Amino acid sequence: MKAWWSGLRAGERRMLIAGVVVLLLVLPYFGVWLPLQDDVAALQRQVQEQQAVKRWMQQAATEVKQLNAAGSAPVRPRDGRSLLAVVDQTAKRSGLGPGLKRLEPEGQAAVRVWLEQVAFDDMVPWLTGLEQQNGLVVATITIDRQELPGRVNARITLEAPGV
């Protein structure tokens, strides 16, 4: 190697040294720095994509929690009592207690009521009160007239919409 170096003219040696210096400066840039820059840019894109996925998952988790809470908890009227308790207590207060023959839940947001031999004039204000004070609405109702004047049998489905 020394013999080869000694055999070169001074201009060739300077040119060779300059080439080696340039190569030593350029090689780290193209061999190390540019690949690292490409990797950093790719990782930044991945982070942005993962952050978008995280935001979507958080929104979906919130929605799932809301749906689970709405679907699993029993629906309650405005005052927080159970539908059955509200219907039973208000019927008794309205004088319909003796005629209240059957009361059963229908799903999470409704209750079915069977009334026999009750005064129609007592039943209507009771239903109106349930709607105005407790937010319950009549979903279905069947009323049968009885022999005694003003007396009816009724099958009613009450719902608590939007509660």
Side-chain angles (χ1 to χ4, degrees):
M1 183 74 118
K2 276 189 172 188
W4 174 78
W5 184 257
S6 304
L8 295 176
R9 286 182 275 163
E12 291 174 336
R13 282 186 212 154
R14 277 183 292 210
M15 192 183 300
L16 191 57
I17 289 173
V20 168
V21 169
V22 169
L23 184 63
L24 289 175
L25 292 174
V26 171
L27 188 61
Y29 178 77
F30 286 104
V32 177
W33 184 254
L34 281 182
L36 283 176
Q37 287 290 1
D38 292 342
D39 290 346
V40 167
L43 288 172
Q44 286 174 337
R45 282 190 303 276
Q46 286 179 350
V47 166
Q48 289 173 348
E49 291 169 2
Q50 293 300 319
Q51 286 174 337
V53 169
K54 178 186 173 192
R55 283 190 300 275
W56 176 84
M57 291 178 92
Q58 287 172 331
Q59 289 171 347
T62 301
E63 188 175 333
V64 166
K65 286 177 186 174
Q66 290 171 348
L67 291 173
N68 280 341
S72 62
V75 175
R76 299 195 181 279
R78 292 180 189 143
D79 64 2
R81 295 179 293 166
S82 74
L83 293 175
L84 293 173
V86 167
V87 172
D88 183 56
Q89 291 169 0
T90 57
K92 289 177 181 172
R93 269 190 258 130
S94 297
L96 301 174
L100 184 60
K101 297 302 177 189
R102 191 166 167 193
L103 189 62
E104 68 181 34
E106 184 177 299
Q108 295 287 336
V111 63
R112 283 186 288 203
V113 181
W114 283 263
L115 298 171
E116 292 182 6
Q117 297 293 326
V118 295
F120 182 81
D121 291 341
D122 291 340
M123 184 181 70
V124 172
W126 171 67
L127 292 172
T128 304
L130 283 173
E131 182 175 1
Q132 292 174 350
Q133 296 168 4
N134 299 289
L136 300 177
V137 295
V138 176
T140 62
I141 188 166
T142 305
I143 300 174
D144 298 320
R145 183 176 61 188
Q146 298 301 299
E147 288 183 24
L148 286 173
R151 294 289 175 170
V152 295
N153 288 350
R155 288 176 301 285
I156 307 165
T157 302
L158 299 165
E159 292 181 345
V163 176

